[in-house]
Amino acid sequence: MGRSLGALPPEGEVHGGFRRLLAARTGERLALLSSGQRPQRPHPYDSHPPMAERIALIEKLPTDGRPDEATDEPAALTLLHDLDQVFVALEACTPTQEAARVRRMSWDDLVLARAVADADDWSRPLRVAVARAIRSSAQDPGKTATTVDRTATTEAVADNELPALEEILHAFDRGLLWMAVADRMPKPHQAARLSGTSARNFIRPTVFDALAGMVHLRLVDSGHAKPDIAWSGQPGLALPEPWEKGMDDAIDAAVADTPDTAPLRALLAGSPCVPA
């Protein structure tokens, strides 16, 4: 989590975090798998079989005579005395040279810093594309761009020229998303030949993630998004309830074939200290 940030969790937590993960992994997820509600098979090039398949194979093994009921036997870690110091000593024996020089952050600070870095990475391509589209439309206001030449997707954009969330929504309202903005989004060479519905469907998830990233950054700046270590799931941000419930639908509307930014603007307007 902290590699790209040049950071590590507190001393002793590089390995010590494992016990927190174990403590959060209740039997509920295993019971879900055992009940047959198993996740879909992952990518065919994954190096290991899915966990659900491994559990299913174990379930097919012949009984060894022991009862099936779960026991409350303690974890092996409980055999160790002064567990915190054990993890500190273990960590001192195993870090790389780079690890010895990086900064230490609390788990919450580490999760928040990583979430902010990810959100910035997601949102930057869209902000650059919108800046280029706005610049192009200002230079030739009478032209409706349906395709963009290569130089228009590589021209430099300074950080102080990158638009804020409201400017991006305004560009969508002006009809710049499809395709003036979308054509300026980075994409593989093979996808550059796509047009119409195929082109929109290819780039839409990237635009969705970029808008979500900008929302995350806005909510973090206003103090309304908190770090969520989520030991039993995926670390990230805990958002206010209205955003948890309504953000996906609002962003879906904003990136539709006919963009509708009203739901997203309504969420922004309803968040205290978050400008609409």
Coordinates of all heavy atoms in Angstrom, one line a residue, residues 82-134:
D82 N 4.4 -11.3 24.7 CA 4.7 -9.9 24.2 C 4.7 -9.8 22.7 O 5.7 -9.5 22.1 CB 6.0 -9.5 24.8 CG 6.2 -8.0 24.8 OD1 5.3 -7.3 24.3 OD2 7.2 -7.5 25.4
L83 N 3.5 -10.1 22.1 CA 3.4 -10.2 20.7 C 3.9 -8.9 19.9 O 4.5 -9.0 18.9 CB 1.9 -10.5 20.3 CG 1.7 -10.8 18.9 CD1 2.5 -12.0 18.4 CD2 0.2 -11.1 18.7
D84 N 3.6 -7.7 20.5 CA 4.0 -6.5 19.8 C 5.5 -6.5 19.6 O 6.0 -6.1 18.6 CB 3.6 -5.3 20.7 CG 2.1 -5.1 20.6 OD1 1.4 -5.6 19.7 OD2 1.5 -4.4 21.5
Q85 N 6.3 -6.8 20.7 CA 7.7 -6.8 20.6 C 8.3 -7.9 19.6 O 9.3 -7.7 19.0 CB 8.3 -7.0 22.0 CG 8.2 -5.7 22.9 CD 8.7 -4.5 22.2 OE1 9.8 -4.4 21.7 NE2 7.9 -3.4 22.2
V86 N 7.5 -9.0 19.6 CA 7.9 -10.1 18.6 C 7.9 -9.5 17.2 O 8.8 -9.7 16.4 CB 7.0 -11.3 18.8 CG1 7.3 -12.3 17.6 CG2 7.3 -12.0 20.1
F87 N 6.8 -8.8 16.9 CA 6.7 -8.3 15.5 C 7.7 -7.2 15.2 O 8.2 -7.0 14.1 CB 5.3 -7.7 15.3 CG 4.3 -8.8 15.0 CD1 3.1 -9.0 15.8 CD2 4.4 -9.6 13.9 CE1 2.2 -10.0 15.5 CE2 3.5 -10.6 13.6 CZ 2.4 -10.8 14.4
V88 N 8.0 -6.4 16.3 CA 9.0 -5.3 16.1 C 10.4 -6.0 15.8 O 11.1 -5.6 14.9 CB 9.1 -4.4 17.3 CG1 10.4 -3.5 17.2 CG2 7.9 -3.6 17.5
A89 N 10.7 -7.0 16.6 CA 12.0 -7.7 16.4 C 12.0 -8.4 15.0 O 13.1 -8.4 14.3 CB 12.2 -8.7 17.5
L90 N 10.9 -9.0 14.6 CA 10.9 -9.7 13.3 C 11.1 -8.7 12.2 O 11.8 -9.0 11.2 CB 9.5 -10.4 13.2 CG 9.2 -11.1 11.8 CD1 10.2 -12.2 11.5 CD2 7.8 -11.6 11.8
E91 N 10.4 -7.6 12.3 CA 10.6 -6.6 11.3 C 12.0 -6.1 11.2 O 12.5 -5.8 10.0 CB 9.6 -5.4 11.6 CG 9.5 -4.4 10.5 CD 8.5 -3.3 10.8 OE1 7.4 -3.7 11.2 OE2 8.8 -2.1 10.8
A92 N 12.7 -5.9 12.3 CA 14.1 -5.5 12.3 C 15.0 -6.4 11.6 O 16.1 -6.0 11.1 CB 14.6 -5.2 13.7
C93 N 14.6 -7.7 11.5 CA 15.5 -8.7 10.8 C 15.2 -8.9 9.3 O 16.0 -9.5 8.7 CB 15.2 -10.1 11.5 SG 15.7 -10.2 13.2
T94 N 14.1 -8.3 8.9 CA 13.7 -8.6 7.5 C 13.6 -7.5 6.5 O 13.4 -7.7 5.3 CB 12.3 -9.3 7.5 OG1 11.4 -8.5 8.2 CG2 12.4 -10.6 8.2
P95 N 13.7 -6.2 6.9 CA 13.4 -5.1 5.9 C 14.5 -5.0 4.9 O 15.7 -5.4 5.1 CB 13.3 -3.9 6.7 CG 14.2 -4.1 7.9 CD 14.0 -5.6 8.2
T96 N 14.2 -4.5 3.7 CA 15.2 -4.2 2.7 C 15.9 -2.9 3.1 O 15.5 -2.2 4.0 CB 14.5 -4.0 1.3 OG1 13.6 -2.9 1.4 CG2 13.8 -5.3 0.9
Q97 N 16.9 -2.5 2.3 CA 17.6 -1.3 2.6 C 16.7 -0.1 2.4 O 16.7 0.9 3.1 CB 18.8 -1.1 1.7 CG 20.0 -2.1 2.0 CD 21.2 -1.9 1.2 OE1 21.1 -1.2 0.1 NE2 22.3 -2.5 1.5
E98 N 15.8 -0.2 1.4 CA 14.9 0.9 1.1 C 13.9 1.1 2.3 O 13.6 2.2 2.7 CB 14.1 0.6 -0.2 CG 14.9 0.7 -1.5 CD 15.7 -0.5 -1.7 OE1 15.5 -1.5 -1.0 OE2 16.6 -0.5 -2.6
A99 N 13.5 0.0 2.9 CA 12.5 0.1 3.9 C 13.1 0.8 5.2 O 12.3 1.4 5.9 CB 12.0 -1.3 4.3
A100 N 14.4 0.7 5.4 CA 15.0 1.3 6.5 C 15.0 2.8 6.4 O 15.2 3.5 7.4 CB 16.4 0.8 6.7
R101 N 14.8 3.3 5.2 CA 14.9 4.8 5.0 C 13.6 5.5 4.8 O 13.5 6.7 4.8 CB 15.8 5.1 3.8 CG 17.2 4.6 3.9 CD 18.1 5.2 2.8 NE 17.7 4.7 1.5 CZ 18.3 3.7 0.9 NH1 19.3 3.1 1.5 NH2 17.9 3.3 -0.3
V102 N 12.5 4.8 4.7 CA 11.2 5.4 4.4 C 10.5 5.9 5.6 O 10.9 5.5 6.7 CB 10.3 4.5 3.6 CG1 10.9 4.0 2.3 CG2 9.9 3.3 4.5
R103 N 9.6 6.8 5.4 CA 8.9 7.4 6.6 C 7.8 6.4 7.1 O 7.4 5.5 6.4 CB 8.2 8.7 6.1 CG 7.2 8.5 5.0 CD 6.6 9.7 4.5 NE 5.9 9.6 3.3 CZ 4.8 10.3 2.9 NH1 4.4 11.3 3.7 NH2 4.3 10.1 1.7
R104 N 7.5 6.5 8.3 CA 6.5 5.7 9.0 C 5.2 6.5 9.1 O 5.2 7.7 9.5 CB 6.9 5.2 10.3 CG 8.2 4.4 10.3 CD 7.9 3.0 9.9 NE 9.1 2.1 9.9 CZ 9.0 0.8 9.9 NH1 7.9 0.2 9.9 NH2 10.1 0.1 9.9
M105 N 4.1 5.9 8.9 CA 2.8 6.5 9.0 C 1.8 5.6 9.7 O 1.9 4.4 9.6 CB 2.2 6.8 7.6 CG 3.1 7.7 6.7 SD 2.4 7.9 5.0 CE 1.0 9.0 5.3
S106 N 0.8 6.2 10.4 CA -0.2 5.3 11.0 C -1.0 4.7 9.9 O -1.0 5.1 8.7 CB -1.1 6.2 11.9 OG -1.9 7.0 11.0
W107 N -1.7 3.6 10.3 CA -2.5 2.9 9.2 C -3.5 3.8 8.6 O -3.7 3.9 7.4 CB -3.2 1.7 9.9 CG -2.4 0.5 10.0 CD1 -2.0 -0.1 11.2 CD2 -1.8 -0.3 9.0 NE1 -1.2 -1.2 11.0 CE2 -1.0 -1.4 9.6 CE3 -1.8 -0.2 7.6 CZ2 -0.3 -2.3 8.9 CZ3 -1.0 -1.2 6.9 CH2 -0.4 -2.2 7.5
D108 N -4.2 4.6 9.4 CA -5.2 5.6 8.9 C -4.5 6.6 7.9 O -5.1 6.8 6.9 CB -5.9 6.3 10.0 CG -7.0 5.5 10.6 OD1 -7.3 4.4 10.1 OD2 -7.5 5.9 11.7
D109 N -3.4 7.1 8.3 CA -2.7 8.1 7.5 C -2.2 7.5 6.2 O -2.3 8.1 5.1 CB -1.5 8.7 8.2 CG -2.0 9.7 9.3 OD1 -3.2 10.1 9.3 OD2 -1.2 10.1 10.2
L110 N -1.8 6.2 6.3 CA -1.3 5.5 5.1 C -2.4 5.2 4.1 O -2.3 5.4 2.9 CB -0.6 4.2 5.5 CG 0.1 3.4 4.5 CD1 1.2 4.3 3.9 CD2 0.7 2.1 5.1
V111 N -3.6 4.8 4.7 CA -4.7 4.5 3.8 C -5.2 5.8 3.1 O -5.5 5.8 1.9 CB -5.9 3.9 4.6 CG1 -7.2 3.8 3.8 CG2 -5.5 2.5 5.1
L112 N -5.3 6.9 3.9 CA -5.7 8.1 3.4 C -4.8 8.6 2.3 O -5.2 9.1 1.2 CB -5.9 9.2 4.5 CG -6.5 10.5 4.1 CD1 -7.9 10.4 3.5 CD2 -6.4 11.5 5.2
A113 N -3.5 8.6 2.6 CA -2.5 9.1 1.6 C -2.6 8.3 0.3 O -2.5 8.8 -0.8 CB -1.1 9.0 2.2
R114 N -2.7 7.0 0.4 CA -2.8 6.1 -0.8 C -4.1 6.4 -1.5 O -4.1 6.5 -2.8 CB -2.7 4.7 -0.4 CG -2.8 3.7 -1.6 CD -1.7 4.0 -2.6 NE -1.9 3.2 -3.8 CZ -1.3 2.0 -4.0 NH1 -0.5 1.5 -3.1 NH2 -1.5 1.3 -5.1
A115 N -5.2 6.6 -0.8 CA -6.5 6.9 -1.5 C -6.4 8.2 -2.3 O -6.9 8.3 -3.4 CB -7.6 6.9 -0.5
V116 N -5.8 9.2 -1.7 CA -5.6 10.5 -2.3 C -4.7 10.4 -3.6 O -5.0 10.9 -4.6 CB -5.0 11.6 -1.3 CG1 -4.6 12.8 -2.1 CG2 -6.1 11.9 -0.3
A117 N -3.6 9.6 -3.4 CA -2.7 9.4 -4.6 C -3.4 8.7 -5.7 O -3.3 9.1 -6.9 CB -1.5 8.7 -4.1
D118 N -4.2 7.7 -5.4 CA -5.0 6.9 -6.4 C -6.0 7.8 -7.1 O -6.2 7.8 -8.3 CB -5.7 5.7 -5.8 CG -4.7 4.6 -5.4 OD1 -3.5 4.6 -5.9 OD2 -5.1 3.7 -4.6
A119 N -6.7 8.6 -6.3 CA -7.8 9.5 -6.8 C -7.2 10.5 -7.7 O -7.7 10.8 -8.8 CB -8.5 10.2 -5.7
D120 N -6.0 11.0 -7.4 CA -5.3 12.0 -8.3 C -4.9 11.3 -9.6 O -5.0 11.9 -10.7 CB -4.1 12.6 -7.5 CG -3.4 13.7 -8.3 OD1 -4.1 14.8 -8.5 OD2 -2.3 13.5 -8.8
D121 N -4.4 10.1 -9.5 CA -4.0 9.4 -10.7 C -5.2 9.1 -11.6 O -5.1 9.2 -12.8 CB -3.4 8.0 -10.3 CG -1.9 8.2 -9.8 OD1 -1.4 9.3 -10.0 OD2 -1.4 7.3 -9.1
W122 N -6.3 8.7 -11.0 CA -7.5 8.4 -11.8 C -8.0 9.7 -12.5 O -8.5 9.6 -13.7 CB -8.7 7.9 -10.9 CG -8.4 6.6 -10.2 CD1 -7.5 5.7 -10.5 CD2 -9.0 6.2 -9.0 NE1 -7.5 4.7 -9.6 CE2 -8.5 4.9 -8.7 CE3 -10.1 6.7 -8.2 CZ2 -8.9 4.2 -7.5 CZ3 -10.5 5.9 -7.1 CH2 -9.9 4.7 -6.8
S123 N -8.0 10.8 -11.8 CA -8.7 12.0 -12.3 C -7.8 12.8 -13.3 O -8.4 13.6 -14.1 CB -9.1 12.9 -11.1 OG -7.9 13.4 -10.4
R124 N -6.5 12.7 -13.2 CA -5.7 13.6 -14.0 C -5.9 13.4 -15.5 O -5.9 14.5 -16.2 CB -4.2 13.3 -13.6 CG -3.3 14.3 -14.3 CD -1.8 14.2 -13.9 NE -1.0 15.2 -14.5 CZ -0.8 16.5 -14.0 NH1 -1.5 16.8 -12.9 NH2 -0.1 17.3 -14.6
P125 N -6.0 12.2 -16.1 CA -6.2 12.1 -17.5 C -7.4 12.9 -18.0 O -7.4 13.5 -19.1 CB -6.3 10.6 -17.8 CG -5.6 10.0 -16.7 CD -5.8 10.9 -15.5
L126 N -8.5 12.8 -17.2 CA -9.7 13.5 -17.6 C -9.5 15.0 -17.5 O -10.0 15.8 -18.4 CB -10.9 13.1 -16.7 CG -12.2 13.8 -16.9 CD1 -12.8 13.6 -18.3 CD2 -13.3 13.4 -15.9
R127 N -8.9 15.5 -16.4 CA -8.6 16.9 -16.3 C -7.8 17.5 -17.4 O -8.1 18.6 -18.0 CB -8.0 17.2 -14.9 CG -8.8 16.8 -13.7 CD -8.1 17.0 -12.4 NE -8.0 18.5 -12.1 CZ -7.2 19.0 -11.2 NH1 -6.4 18.2 -10.5 NH2 -7.2 20.3 -11.0
V128 N -6.8 16.7 -17.8 CA -5.9 17.1 -18.9 C -6.8 17.2 -20.2 O -6.7 18.1 -21.0 CB -4.7 16.2 -19.1 CG1 -4.0 16.5 -20.4 CG2 -3.8 16.4 -17.9
A129 N -7.6 16.1 -20.5 CA -8.4 16.1 -21.7 C -9.4 17.2 -21.8 O -9.6 17.8 -22.8 CB -9.1 14.7 -21.8
V130 N -10.0 17.5 -20.6 CA -11.0 18.6 -20.6 C -10.3 19.9 -20.9 O -10.8 20.8 -21.6 CB -11.8 18.6 -19.3 CG1 -12.6 19.9 -19.2 CG2 -12.7 17.4 -19.2
A131 N -9.1 20.1 -20.3 CA -8.3 21.4 -20.5 C -8.0 21.5 -22.0 O -8.1 22.6 -22.5 CB -7.1 21.4 -19.7
R132 N -7.6 20.5 -22.6 CA -7.3 20.5 -24.1 C -8.6 20.8 -24.9 O -8.5 21.6 -25.9 CB -6.6 19.2 -24.5 CG -5.2 19.0 -24.0 CD -4.7 17.6 -24.2 NE -3.3 17.5 -23.8 CZ -2.7 16.4 -23.5 NH1 -3.4 15.2 -23.6 NH2 -1.4 16.3 -23.1
A133 N -9.7 20.2 -24.5 CA -10.9 20.4 -25.3 C -11.4 21.8 -25.1 O -11.9 22.4 -26.1 CB -12.0 19.4 -24.8
I134 N -11.3 22.4 -23.9 CA -11.7 23.7 -23.7 C -10.9 24.7 -24.5 O -11.3 25.7 -25.1 CB -11.7 24.1 -22.2 CG1 -12.8 23.3 -21.4 CG2 -11.9 25.6 -21.9 CD1 -12.7 23.4 -19.9

